[in-house]
Amino acid sequence: MSLRIYSTLTQALEPFEPFVSGQVRMYTCGVTVYDLCHIGHARSALVFEVVRRYFESSGYRVTFVRNFTDVDDKIINRARQLGIPWDALAFRYIQAFRQDMAALGIGQADIEPKATDHIPEMIRLISTLLERGLAYAVDGDVYYAVRRFPEYGKLSHRSVDDLRAGARIEVDERKRDPLDFALWKASKPGEPSWDSPWGLGRPGWHIECSAMSSKYLGETFDIHAGGEDLIFPHHENEIAQSEGATGKPFARYWLHNGFVTVNGEKMAKSLGNFVTIRDALDRFSPEALKLLLLSTNYRGPLDYAESAVLEKAKALAGLQDFLRAVDRLGAGTAPRQPEGGLAPGALPEGPHPAEAAFRRAMDDDFNTARALAVLFDVVREGNRLLSEAGEAAARDPGELPALRAAAALLRRLGWVLCLDLRGGGPVVSAFATVRLQRPAAEALQELSVLVQCGASSPADRERQLTWVVQELLAHREAARRAKAWAAADAIRQALTAQGFRLEDTKTATHAVSQSTDIHRLPAIAVTLVKE
RNA sequence: GACGCCGUGGCUGAAAGGUGAAGCAGUGGGCUGCAAACCCACGGAUGCAUGUUCGAGUCAUGCCGGCGUCUCCA
């Protein structure tokens, strides 16, 4: 079985064959930087990041380009409203985009070109189109002559006549056809402008992607991707420009992601129903949000609701709990830190049937929903091993490799899905080593203070929380040994109220901070071994 | 109007024409001092109607309902 991709161009699943053996060259249309990005942008970025990672995990060398549109009407208008230079506005939102991506754990593209850095390339391309009779200049503007490109409409599967019938475009007398689009716009006073053979002006929107994609990926490359709203006119126009200029096929596979909706309606600025990435990450963990965004096919709509993110946060906790449980196994009964946690890939990686199932799912047009189900299957099987072997697994060398292999597999597959499953390694200590120097009530007081307002720095807060939770676990264990259930339960209730979940096993007690609400606690896990 | 997408259990959502995933929620049991977590078991779904087929969630036709694009948009 090999990878098949749905291409908008053919409206069918196509076997993927790279243009150059062993390499994948992909271009995605990035954002126009005039405002903060919302969940819809996050979905698009995430989906194509997963595509990129799947190619990489399949052994391809990937060159990934994602542009910034940093000059356009919206940027100019917004900057004017705010009374700041247009390029300062663009710079601000490029930074914001990068911060958002970093917060989501989505990598940078290999190349992130800006339109304004490629004006000469665009002018050359426009000149070529003029030479080939596909464009015409009028009063300092240059338009693409749609009628001169016979294949116009092949991506959006509409004829020029269809498009004109439904067009809501205002009539411009200077255009030969209402569908003709601007390659170059004469600039008005006060607007950003560059010198060109047609006078001072600025590029049209579509030309930048044609110019930059061919510069960095060649005239023909593998994958061109973006939101489905870009199919027409943006991507249709790119094809007209690029294939018109080169006479060669442009992108070979066209991928388009579906919209994020809210109550069934498209998330959009104009509807006012958008949630910025920042707003979402202020409330939820990035992994929970990403789990939601990957829980359905990338081409279909995805409804965003807070309840849905919370549900995914719980599902995610199941994955993390299992990984933590495996991490704890090696810690044994000695009061020591696990040595460096588990580095993905550092463990023996025998063939695992789940990996094959994962690849079958991803080979089917990047079916992340099915791929995620494979992860949960691995966890259930692993938990079964854990519970059947019970605590004995900690000492039974026979079970450890299988469990560690499962954990390593989960982390590796999680990486492909852009899910960070590393988690915080558990802090393990032994009951005998924790000295109870103050009453439980004082420790509880400190816990409450730490949870509410925190310490001088996040690192301090985490360290102090770990310390006090450990102390409280020891107090509770002492009470349990005395069968003072009320005292033990009071400590558990207090910890629960502060956001920790307690789990008793035969040999240890674990306290894990619950991360469904992000405001909250650092992700910590403390284990007290009874001995 | 043109082009396209979607209707699967309580909710979210998978499914090579061949026993209808997975997650969340629910019920019962195991484990536990009691919990929690986990495991086991259980319950329940293909919008409607025809048709093709040995066999249809899947293919065809029609209908009903929802959505998108054709204008800047991920």
Side-chain angles (χ1 to χ4, degrees), chain A residues 118-137 141-144 182-184 195-199 203-204 207 210-211 241-242 244-246:
Chain A
H118 297 79
I119 303 292
E121 287 86 345
M122 293 187 234
I123 289 175
R124 271 199 297 280
L125 183 54
I126 295 168
S127 300
T128 302
L129 290 169
L130 282 163
E131 285 162 21
R132 300 192 69 156
L134 290 163
Y136 54 96
D141 290 344
V142 181
Y143 293 102
Y144 191 101
L183 298 168
W184 189 262
D195 201 15
S196 81
W198 317 285
I207 196 69
S210 284
Q241 293 166 161
S242 293
T246 67

Side-chain angles (χ1 to χ4, degrees), chain A residues 309-519:
Chain A
V309 192
L310 289 171
E311 181 193 311
K312 295 305 171 187
K314 286 185 207 165
L316 183 74
L319 295 175
Q320 289 166 333
D321 283 347
F322 169 70
L323 291 168
R324 242 190 317 264
V326 175
D327 284 355
R328 283 195 293 245
L329 285 182
T333 54
R336 59 187 167 85
Q337 302 276 332
E339 55 281 3
L342 290 177
L347 292 159
E349 295 170 7
H352 197 296
E355 178 141 22
F358 179 87
R359 300 203 72 85
R360 272 197 302 279
M362 292 297 283
D363 276 345
D364 183 11
D365 195 33
F366 310 106
N367 190 329
T368 52
R370 216 162 87 207
L372 279 169
V374 173
L375 266 63
F376 288 105
D377 288 339
V378 170
V379 168
R380 189 172 352 92
E381 192 184 328
N383 275 327
R384 195 178 298 140
L385 262 182
L386 274 171
S387 74
E388 282 173 4
E391 296 297 311
R395 287 166 232 117
D396 180 358
E399 302 289 7
L400 271 176
L403 285 165
R404 292 218 157 151
L409 177 71
L410 276 178
R411 290 186 161 115
R412 200 165 62 245
L413 301 184
W415 178 84
V416 175
L417 296 176
C418 204
L419 294 175
D420 183 353
L421 299 177
R422 284 173 301 175
V427 171
V428 180
S429 52
F431 177 63
T433 66
V434 182
R435 263 172 284 167
L436 301 177
Q437 294 176 319
R438 54 180 172 175
E442 275 180 35
L444 284 169
Q445 189 65 37
E446 187 190 338
L447 175 73
S448 154
V449 169
L450 279 169
V451 168
Q452 278 166 29
C453 51
S456 52
S457 75
D460 276 349
R461 183 171 177 233
E462 191 171 324
R463 192 163 43 243
Q464 291 174 35
L465 268 172
T466 300
W467 185 254
V468 74
V469 168
Q470 181 191 64
E471 191 180 351
L472 286 166
L473 287 184
H475 268 295
R476 177 164 172 272
E477 179 60 19
R480 294 181 75 208
R481 289 183 183 197
K483 297 202 187 301
W485 306 126
D489 289 350
I491 293 174
R492 179 171 63 197
Q493 273 165 27
L495 280 164
T496 303
Q498 299 293 0
F500 291 85
R501 190 184 71 213
L502 261 60
E503 300 173 27
D504 293 322
T505 69
K506 279 203 176 4
T507 58
T509 294
H510 311 296
V512 179
S513 60
Q514 297 295 81
S515 55
T516 46
D517 184 358
I518 216 160
H519 279 304

